[in-house]
Coordinates of all heavy atoms in Angstrom, one line a residue:
M1452 N 113.5 -129.0 173.5 CA 112.3 -129.2 174.3 C 112.4 -130.6 174.8 O 112.6 -131.5 174.1 CB 111.1 -128.9 173.6 CG 109.8 -129.0 174.4 SD 109.1 -130.6 174.8 CE 108.7 -131.2 173.2
K1453 N 112.2 -130.8 176.2 CA 112.1 -132.1 176.7 C 111.1 -132.0 177.9 O 110.9 -131.0 178.5 CB 113.4 -132.8 177.1 CG 114.0 -132.2 178.3 CD 115.3 -132.9 178.7 CE 115.9 -132.4 179.9 NZ 117.1 -133.2 180.4
M1454 N 110.5 -133.2 178.2 CA 109.5 -133.2 179.4 C 110.3 -133.6 180.6 O 111.2 -134.4 180.6 CB 108.5 -134.3 179.1 CG 107.6 -134.0 177.9 SD 106.9 -132.3 178.0 CE 105.6 -132.6 179.3
D1455 N 110.1 -132.9 181.7 CA 110.6 -133.1 183.0 C 109.4 -133.5 183.9 O 108.8 -132.6 184.5 CB 111.4 -131.9 183.5 CG 112.0 -132.0 184.9 OD1 112.0 -133.2 185.4 OD2 112.6 -131.1 185.4
G1456 N 109.1 -134.8 183.9 CA 107.8 -135.2 184.5 C 106.6 -134.6 183.6 O 106.7 -134.9 182.5
S1457 N 105.8 -133.8 184.1 CA 104.8 -133.2 183.4 C 105.1 -131.8 183.0 O 104.2 -131.1 182.4 CB 103.5 -133.2 184.2 OG 103.6 -132.5 185.4
I1458 N 106.3 -131.3 183.4 CA 106.7 -129.9 183.0 C 107.5 -130.0 181.7 O 108.5 -130.7 181.6 CB 107.6 -129.4 184.1 CG1 106.9 -129.6 185.4 CG2 107.9 -127.9 183.9 CD1 106.2 -128.5 186.0
M1459 N 107.2 -129.1 180.7 CA 108.0 -129.0 179.5 C 109.0 -128.0 179.7 O 108.9 -126.9 180.2 CB 107.0 -128.5 178.4 CG 107.7 -128.4 177.1 SD 106.6 -127.6 175.8 CE 105.2 -128.8 175.8
R1460 N 110.3 -128.4 179.4 CA 111.5 -127.6 179.6 C 112.0 -127.3 178.2 O 112.1 -128.1 177.4 CB 112.5 -128.3 180.4 CG 112.1 -128.8 181.7 CD 112.3 -127.8 182.8 NE 112.0 -128.3 184.0 CZ 111.6 -127.5 185.1 NH1 111.5 -126.3 184.9 NH2 111.3 -128.1 186.2
M1461 N 112.3 -126.0 177.9 CA 112.8 -125.6 176.6 C 114.1 -124.8 176.9 O 114.3 -124.2 177.9 CB 111.8 -124.7 176.0 CG 110.5 -125.4 175.5 SD 109.4 -124.3 174.7 CE 108.6 -123.5 176.1
R1462 N 115.0 -125.0 176.0 CA 116.3 -124.3 176.0 C 116.7 -123.9 174.6 O 116.4 -124.6 173.6 CB 117.3 -125.1 176.8 CG 117.7 -126.3 176.0 CD 118.8 -127.1 176.6 NE 119.1 -128.4 176.0 CZ 119.8 -128.6 175.0 NH1 120.3 -127.5 174.3 NH2 120.0 -129.8 174.5
A1463 N 117.4 -122.8 174.5 CA 118.0 -122.5 173.2 C 119.2 -123.4 172.7 O 119.8 -124.0 173.6 CB 118.5 -121.0 173.3
L1464 N 119.1 -123.6 171.5 CA 120.3 -124.4 170.9 C 121.5 -123.6 170.8 O 121.6 -122.6 170.0 CB 119.9 -124.9 169.5 CG 118.7 -125.9 169.5 CD1 118.3 -126.3 168.1 CD2 119.0 -127.2 170.3
E1465 N 122.6 -123.8 171.7 CA 123.7 -123.0 171.7 C 124.5 -122.8 170.4 O 125.1 -121.9 170.0 CB 124.6 -123.4 172.8 CG 124.0 -123.3 174.2 CD 125.0 -123.8 175.3 OE1 126.1 -124.1 175.0 OE2 124.5 -124.0 176.5
N1466 N 124.4 -124.0 169.6 CA 125.2 -124.0 168.4 C 124.2 -124.0 167.2 O 124.7 -124.5 166.1 CB 126.1 -125.2 168.4 CG 127.1 -125.2 169.4 OD1 127.8 -124.1 169.6 ND2 127.3 -126.3 170.2
G1467 N 123.0 -123.6 167.4 CA 122.1 -123.6 166.3 C 121.4 -124.9 166.0 O 121.8 -125.9 166.7
L1468 N 120.6 -125.0 165.0 CA 119.9 -126.2 164.6 C 120.6 -126.7 163.3 O 120.7 -126.1 162.3 CB 118.5 -125.9 164.3 CG 117.5 -127.0 163.8 CD1 117.5 -128.1 164.7 CD2 116.2 -126.4 163.6
V1469 N 121.1 -128.0 163.4 CA 121.8 -128.6 162.3 C 120.7 -129.2 161.4 O 119.7 -129.9 161.7 CB 122.6 -129.8 162.8 CG1 123.2 -130.6 161.6 CG2 123.7 -129.3 163.6
I1470 N 120.7 -128.8 160.1 CA 119.8 -129.2 159.1 C 120.6 -129.9 158.0 O 121.3 -129.2 157.1 CB 118.9 -128.1 158.5 CG1 118.2 -127.3 159.6 CG2 118.0 -128.6 157.5 CD1 117.5 -126.1 159.1
P1471 N 120.7 -131.3 158.0 CA 121.6 -131.9 157.1 C 121.1 -131.6 155.6 O 119.9 -131.4 155.4 CB 121.4 -133.4 157.4 CG 121.1 -133.4 158.8 CD 120.2 -132.1 159.0
A1472 N 122.1 -131.7 154.6 CA 121.7 -131.5 153.2 C 120.5 -132.3 152.8 O 120.5 -133.5 153.2 CB 123.0 -131.7 152.3
K1473 N 119.7 -131.8 152.0 CA 118.6 -132.5 151.4 C 117.6 -133.1 152.4 O 116.9 -134.1 152.2 CB 119.0 -133.6 150.5 CG 119.8 -133.1 149.4 CD 120.3 -134.2 148.4 CE 121.1 -133.5 147.3 NZ 121.7 -134.5 146.3
T1474 N 117.5 -132.5 153.6 CA 116.5 -132.8 154.6 C 115.6 -131.7 155.0 O 116.0 -130.5 154.7 CB 117.2 -133.4 155.9 OG1 118.0 -132.3 156.5 CG2 118.1 -134.5 155.6
T1475 N 114.6 -131.9 155.7 CA 113.7 -130.8 156.1 C 113.5 -130.9 157.6 O 113.4 -132.0 158.1 CB 112.3 -131.1 155.5 OG1 112.5 -131.0 154.0 CG2 111.3 -130.0 155.9
V1476 N 113.5 -129.8 158.2 CA 113.2 -129.7 159.6 C 112.0 -128.8 159.8 O 112.0 -127.6 159.3 CB 114.4 -129.1 160.5 CG1 114.0 -128.9 161.9 CG2 115.6 -130.1 160.4
N1477 N 111.0 -129.4 160.3 CA 109.7 -128.5 160.6 C 109.9 -127.8 162.0 O 110.3 -128.5 163.0 CB 108.5 -129.4 160.6 CG 108.2 -130.0 159.2 OD1 108.4 -129.3 158.2 ND2 107.8 -131.2 159.2
L1478 N 109.6 -126.6 162.0 CA 109.6 -125.7 163.3 C 108.1 -125.7 163.7 O 107.3 -125.2 163.0 CB 110.1 -124.4 163.1 CG 111.5 -124.3 162.5 CD1 112.0 -122.9 162.3 CD2 112.6 -125.0 163.5
E1479 N 107.8 -126.4 164.9 CA 106.5 -126.5 165.3 C 106.3 -126.8 166.7 O 107.3 -127.2 167.3 CB 105.8 -127.6 164.5 CG 106.5 -128.9 164.6 CD 106.0 -130.0 163.5 OE1 105.2 -129.7 162.7 OE2 106.4 -131.1 163.7
S1480 N 105.2 -126.6 167.2 CA 105.0 -126.7 168.6 C 105.3 -128.2 169.1 O 105.0 -129.1 168.4 CB 103.5 -126.4 169.0 OG 103.2 -126.6 170.3
G1481 N 105.9 -128.4 170.2 CA 106.3 -129.7 170.7 C 107.6 -130.2 170.1 O 108.0 -131.3 170.4
S1482 N 108.2 -129.4 169.3 CA 109.5 -129.9 168.6 C 110.3 -128.6 168.6 O 110.2 -127.7 169.3 CB 109.2 -130.5 167.2 OG 110.3 -130.9 166.6
Y1483 N 111.3 -128.6 167.6 CA 112.1 -127.4 167.4 C 111.1 -126.3 167.0 O 110.2 -126.5 166.3 CB 113.2 -127.6 166.3 CG 114.2 -128.6 166.6 CD1 114.3 -129.8 165.9 CD2 115.0 -128.4 167.7 CE1 115.3 -130.6 166.2 CE2 116.0 -129.3 168.0 CZ 116.2 -130.4 167.3 OH 117.2 -131.4 167.6
H1484 N 111.3 -125.1 167.5 CA 110.4 -124.0 167.3 C 111.1 -122.7 167.5 O 112.2 -122.6 168.1 CB 109.1 -124.1 168.0 CG 109.3 -124.1 169.5 ND1 109.5 -125.2 170.2 CD2 109.3 -123.1 170.4 CE1 109.6 -124.9 171.5 NE2 109.5 -123.7 171.7
L1485 N 110.6 -121.7 166.9 CA 111.2 -120.3 167.2 C 110.4 -119.8 168.4 O 109.3 -120.0 168.7 CB 110.8 -119.3 166.0 CG 111.3 -119.8 164.7 CD1 110.9 -118.8 163.6 CD2 112.9 -119.8 164.7
M1486 N 111.2 -119.1 169.3 CA 110.5 -118.6 170.5 C 110.9 -117.1 170.6 O 112.0 -116.7 170.5 CB 111.2 -119.3 171.7 CG 110.3 -119.4 172.9 SD 110.7 -120.8 173.9 CE 110.2 -120.1 175.4
F1487 N 109.8 -116.3 170.7 CA 109.9 -114.9 170.9 C 109.9 -114.6 172.4 O 109.0 -114.9 173.1 CB 108.8 -114.2 170.1 CG 108.9 -114.5 168.5 CD1 108.3 -115.6 168.0 CD2 109.5 -113.6 167.8 CE1 108.3 -115.8 166.7 CE2 109.6 -113.8 166.4 CZ 109.0 -114.9 165.9
I1488 N 110.9 -113.7 172.7 CA 110.9 -113.3 174.1 C 111.0 -111.7 174.2 O 111.4 -111.2 173.2 CB 112.0 -113.9 174.9 CG1 113.4 -113.6 174.3 CG2 111.9 -115.5 175.0 CD1 114.6 -114.1 175.0
D1489 N 110.6 -111.3 175.3 CA 110.7 -109.8 175.5 C 110.0 -109.0 174.5 O 110.3 -107.9 174.1 CB 112.2 -109.3 175.5 CG 113.0 -109.9 176.7 OD1 112.4 -110.2 177.7 OD2 114.2 -110.1 176.6
L1490 N 108.8 -109.6 174.1 CA 107.9 -108.8 173.1 C 107.4 -107.6 173.8 O 107.0 -107.6 175.0 CB 106.7 -109.7 172.6 CG 107.2 -110.9 171.8 CD1 106.0 -111.8 171.6 CD2 107.8 -110.5 170.5
T1491 N 107.2 -106.5 173.1 CA 106.5 -105.3 173.7 C 105.1 -105.2 173.4 O 104.4 -104.4 173.9 CB 107.3 -104.1 173.1 OG1 107.2 -104.1 171.6 CG2 108.7 -104.1 173.5
A1492 N 104.6 -106.2 172.5 CA 103.2 -106.2 172.2 C 102.8 -107.6 171.8 O 103.7 -108.4 171.3 CB 102.8 -105.2 171.0
G1493 N 101.5 -108.0 171.9 CA 101.2 -109.4 171.5 C 101.0 -109.5 170.0 O 100.9 -108.5 169.3
F1494 N 101.0 -110.7 169.5 CA 100.8 -110.9 168.1 C 99.3 -110.9 167.8 O 98.5 -111.4 168.6 CB 101.4 -112.4 167.6 CG 102.8 -112.3 167.6 CD1 103.5 -113.4 168.0 CD2 103.6 -111.3 167.2 CE1 104.9 -113.6 167.9 CE2 105.0 -111.3 167.1 CZ 105.6 -112.5 167.5
V1495 N 98.9 -110.4 166.6 CA 97.4 -110.3 166.3 C 97.2 -111.3 165.3 O 97.9 -111.4 164.3 CB 97.1 -108.9 165.8 CG1 95.7 -108.9 165.3 CG2 97.4 -107.9 166.9
K1496 N 96.2 -112.2 165.5 CA 95.8 -113.3 164.5 C 95.6 -112.6 163.1 O 94.9 -111.6 163.0 CB 94.6 -114.0 165.0 CG 94.1 -115.2 164.1 CD 93.0 -116.0 164.7 CE 91.7 -115.2 164.5 NZ 90.5 -116.0 164.9
G1497 N 96.2 -113.2 162.1 CA 96.1 -112.8 160.8 C 97.3 -111.9 160.3 O 97.4 -111.6 159.2
A1498 N 98.0 -111.4 161.3 CA 99.2 -110.5 161.0 C 100.3 -111.4 160.4 O 100.3 -112.5 160.4 CB 99.7 -109.9 162.2
R1499 N 101.2 -110.7 159.7 CA 102.4 -111.3 159.1 C 103.5 -110.6 159.6 O 103.7 -109.4 159.5 CB 102.3 -111.2 157.6 CG 101.1 -111.8 156.9 CD 101.3 -111.9 155.5 NE 102.0 -113.1 155.1 CZ 102.8 -113.3 154.1 NH1 103.0 -112.3 153.2 NH2 103.4 -114.4 153.9
I1500 N 104.4 -111.4 160.3 CA 105.5 -110.8 161.1 C 106.7 -111.0 160.2 O 107.1 -112.2 159.8 CB 105.7 -111.5 162.4 CG1 104.4 -111.6 163.2 CG2 106.8 -111.0 163.1 CD1 103.9 -110.2 163.6
P1501 N 107.4 -109.9 159.9 CA 108.8 -110.1 159.1 C 109.8 -110.6 160.1 O 109.9 -110.2 161.2 CB 109.1 -108.7 158.6 CG 108.3 -107.8 159.6 CD 107.1 -108.6 160.1
A1502 N 110.5 -111.6 159.6 CA 111.7 -112.1 160.3 C 112.9 -112.5 159.4 O 112.7 -112.6 158.2 CB 111.2 -113.3 161.1
T1503 N 114.0 -112.6 160.0 CA 115.2 -113.0 159.2 C 115.7 -114.3 159.8 O 116.0 -114.4 161.0 CB 116.2 -112.0 159.1 OG1 115.7 -110.8 158.6 CG2 117.5 -112.4 158.4
L1504 N 115.7 -115.4 159.0 CA 116.3 -116.6 159.5 C 117.8 -116.6 159.0 O 118.1 -116.2 157.9 CB 115.7 -117.8 158.8 CG 114.2 -117.9 159.1 CD1 113.7 -119.1 158.4 CD2 113.9 -118.1 160.5
V1505 N 118.7 -116.9 159.9 CA 120.2 -116.8 159.6 C 120.8 -118.2 159.6 O 120.8 -119.0 160.5 CB 121.0 -116.0 160.8 CG1 122.4 -115.9 160.5 CG2 120.3 -114.6 161.0
F1506 N 121.2 -118.5 158.4 CA 121.9 -119.8 158.1 C 123.4 -119.7 157.9 O 123.9 -118.7 157.4 CB 121.2 -120.4 156.8 CG 119.8 -120.7 156.9 CD1 118.9 -119.8 156.6 CD2 119.4 -122.0 157.3 CE1 117.5 -120.0 156.7 CE2 118.1 -122.3 157.4 CZ 117.1 -121.3 157.1
E1507 N 124.1 -120.7 158.5 CA 125.5 -120.7 158.4 C 126.1 -120.6 157.0 O 127.0 -119.9 156.7 CB 126.1 -121.9 159.1 CG 127.6 -122.0 159.2 CD 128.0 -123.2 159.9 OE1 127.8 -124.3 159.3 OE2 128.7 -123.1 161.0
K1508 N 125.5 -121.3 156.1 CA 126.0 -121.5 154.7 C 125.1 -120.7 153.7 O 125.7 -120.2 152.7 CB 126.1 -122.9 154.3 CG 127.2 -123.6 155.1 CD 127.4 -125.0 154.8 CE 128.4 -125.7 155.7 NZ 128.5 -127.1 155.6
A1509 N 123.8 -120.7 153.9 CA 122.9 -120.0 153.0 C 122.7 -118.4 153.3 O 122.2 -117.7 152.5 CB 121.6 -120.6 153.0
G1510 N 123.3 -118.0 154.5 CA 123.2 -116.6 154.8 C 121.8 -116.3 155.4 O 121.1 -117.1 155.9
D1511 N 121.5 -115.0 155.2 CA 120.3 -114.5 155.9 C 119.1 -114.7 154.9 O 119.2 -114.3 153.7 CB 120.4 -113.0 156.3 CG 121.3 -112.8 157.3 OD1 121.9 -113.7 157.8 OD2 121.5 -111.6 157.7
I1512 N 118.0 -115.2 155.3 CA 116.8 -115.4 154.4 C 115.6 -114.7 155.2 O 115.3 -115.0 156.3 CB 116.5 -116.9 154.3 CG1 117.7 -117.7 153.9 CG2 115.2 -117.0 153.4 CD1 118.0 -117.5 152.4
D1513 N 115.1 -113.7 154.5 CA 114.0 -112.9 155.0 C 112.6 -113.7 154.8 O 112.4 -114.3 153.7 CB 113.8 -111.6 154.3 CG 115.0 -110.6 154.8 OD1 115.5 -110.8 155.9 OD2 115.5 -109.8 153.9
V1514 N 111.8 -113.8 155.7 CA 110.6 -114.5 155.6 C 109.5 -113.7 156.4 O 109.7 -112.7 157.1 CB 110.7 -115.9 156.3 CG1 111.7 -116.8 155.7 CG2 110.9 -115.8 157.9
F1515 N 108.3 -114.1 156.1 CA 107.1 -113.6 156.9 C 106.5 -114.7 157.6 O 106.3 -115.8 157.1 CB 106.0 -113.0 155.9 CG 106.5 -111.7 155.5 CD1 107.1 -111.5 154.2 CD2 106.3 -110.5 156.2 CE1 107.5 -110.3 153.8 CE2 106.6 -109.3 155.7 CZ 107.3 -109.1 154.5
L1516 N 106.2 -114.5 158.9 CA 105.5 -115.6 159.7 C 104.1 -115.2 160.0 O 103.8 -114.0 160.4 CB 106.3 -115.6 161.0 CG 107.8 -115.8 160.9 CD1 108.5 -115.7 162.4 CD2 108.1 -117.2 160.3
D1517 N 103.2 -116.0 159.5 CA 101.8 -115.8 159.7 C 101.4 -116.1 161.0 O 101.6 -117.1 161.6 CB 101.0 -116.7 158.7 CG 101.2 -116.3 157.3 OD1 101.4 -115.1 157.0 OD2 101.2 -117.1 156.4
V1518 N 100.6 -115.2 161.7 CA 100.1 -115.4 163.1 C 98.8 -116.2 163.0 O 97.8 -115.7 162.4 CB 99.9 -114.1 163.8 CG1 99.3 -114.3 165.2 CG2 101.2 -113.3 163.9
L1519 N 98.8 -117.4 163.4 CA 97.6 -118.2 163.3 C 97.0 -118.5 164.7 O 97.7 -118.3 165.7 CB 98.1 -119.7 162.8 CG 98.8 -119.6 161.4 CD1 99.3 -121.0 161.1 CD2 97.8 -119.1 160.4
P1520 N 95.8 -119.0 164.8 CA 95.2 -119.4 166.1 C 96.0 -120.5 166.8 O 96.6 -121.3 166.1 CB 93.8 -119.8 165.8 CG 93.6 -119.5 164.3 CD 94.9 -119.3 163.7
L1521 N 96.1 -120.4 168.1 CA 96.7 -121.4 168.8 C 96.2 -122.8 168.4 O 95.0 -123.0 168.4 CB 96.5 -121.2 170.3 CG 97.4 -121.9 171.2 CD1 98.9 -121.6 171.0 CD2 97.1 -121.7 172.7
G1522 N 97.0 -123.8 168.2 CA 96.6 -125.1 167.8 C 96.3 -125.3 166.3 O 95.7 -126.4 166.0
A1523 N 96.4 -124.3 165.5 CA 96.1 -124.4 164.1 C 96.9 -125.6 163.5 O 98.1 -125.8 163.8 CB 96.5 -123.2 163.3
K1524 N 96.2 -126.4 162.6 CA 96.7 -127.6 162.0 C 97.3 -127.2 160.6 O 96.9 -126.2 160.1 CB 95.7 -128.6 161.8 CG 95.0 -129.1 163.1 CD 96.0 -130.0 163.9 CE 95.4 -130.6 165.1 NZ 95.8 -129.9 166.4
P1525 N 98.2 -128.0 160.0 CA 98.8 -127.7 158.8 C 97.8 -127.3 157.7 O 98.0 -126.4 156.9 CB 99.6 -128.9 158.4 CG 100.0 -129.5 159.7 CD 98.8 -129.2 160.7
A1526 N 96.7 -128.0 157.7 CA 95.7 -127.7 156.6 C 95.1 -126.3 156.8 O 94.8 -125.7 155.8 CB 94.5 -128.8 156.7
E1527 N 95.1 -125.9 157.9 CA 94.6 -124.4 158.2 C 95.6 -123.4 157.9 O 95.4 -122.2 157.8 CB 94.2 -124.4 159.7 CG 93.1 -125.2 160.1 CD 92.9 -125.2 161.6 OE1 93.9 -125.5 162.3 OE2 91.7 -125.0 162.0
R1528 N 96.9 -123.8 157.6 CA 98.0 -123.0 157.3 C 98.0 -122.7 155.8 O 98.9 -122.0 155.3 CB 99.3 -123.6 157.7 CG 99.4 -123.7 159.2 CD 100.7 -124.3 159.6 NE 100.8 -124.8 160.9 CZ 101.6 -125.7 161.4 NH1 102.6 -126.2 160.5 NH2 101.6 -126.1 162.6
G1529 N 97.1 -123.3 155.1 CA 97.1 -123.1 153.6 C 98.2 -123.9 152.8 O 98.6 -123.5 151.8
R1530 N 98.7 -125.0 153.5 CA 99.7 -125.8 152.8 C 99.0 -126.5 151.6 O 97.9 -126.9 151.5 CB 100.2 -127.0 153.7 CG 101.3 -126.5 154.6 CD 101.9 -127.6 155.3 NE 103.0 -127.1 156.2 CZ 103.6 -127.9 157.0 NH1 103.3 -129.1 157.1 NH2 104.5 -127.4 157.8
Ligands
LIG2946 CU1 109.8 -122.6 173.3

């Protein structure tokens, strides 16, 4: 994601997201994030969406993504 004047431009990472060993990358608004396209229905607040994260070395990791209100802060995520 980068700003082009006041316009936010986003693009897919062609070679994936590099996560160096022993580091953490947060996926969040305004930074690296997951983007869902071509949805056939909207997400409902409070739902849990099953997803699979695909890692080059760790393989496939199944997760659930909680649907939160827009702008929810980490404290509201139950961290
Ligand atoms: Cu995006």
Side-chain angles (χ1 to χ4, degrees):
M1452 183 279 299
K1453 70 176 188 178
M1454 297 304 290
D1455 180 6
S1457 61
I1458 311 260
M1459 183 185 300
R1460 306 269 184 207
M1461 293 179 277
R1462 62 178 174 78
L1464 296 173
E1465 294 177 12
N1466 297 312
L1468 176 60
V1469 175
I1470 305 174
K1473 299 183 181 181
T1474 64
T1475 299
V1476 174
N1477 293 322
L1478 301 178
E1479 55 195 4
S1480 180
S1482 182
Y1483 294 117
H1484 56 272
L1485 302 177
M1486 207 156 150
F1487 296 87
I1488 57 174
D1489 298 331
L1490 294 172
T1491 56
F1494 291 143
V1495 177
K1496 186 173 74 174
R1499 302 192 83 208
I1500 309 297
T1503 302
L1504 302 178
V1505 179
F1506 294 89
E1507 182 180 64
K1508 295 179 181 168
D1511 295 359
I1512 307 287
D1513 292 328
V1514 297
F1515 283 94
L1516 306 173
D1517 294 324
V1518 179
L1519 302 175
L1521 195 62
K1524 301 287 185 255
E1527 295 170 305
R1528 297 178 196 161
R1530 280 189 181 173

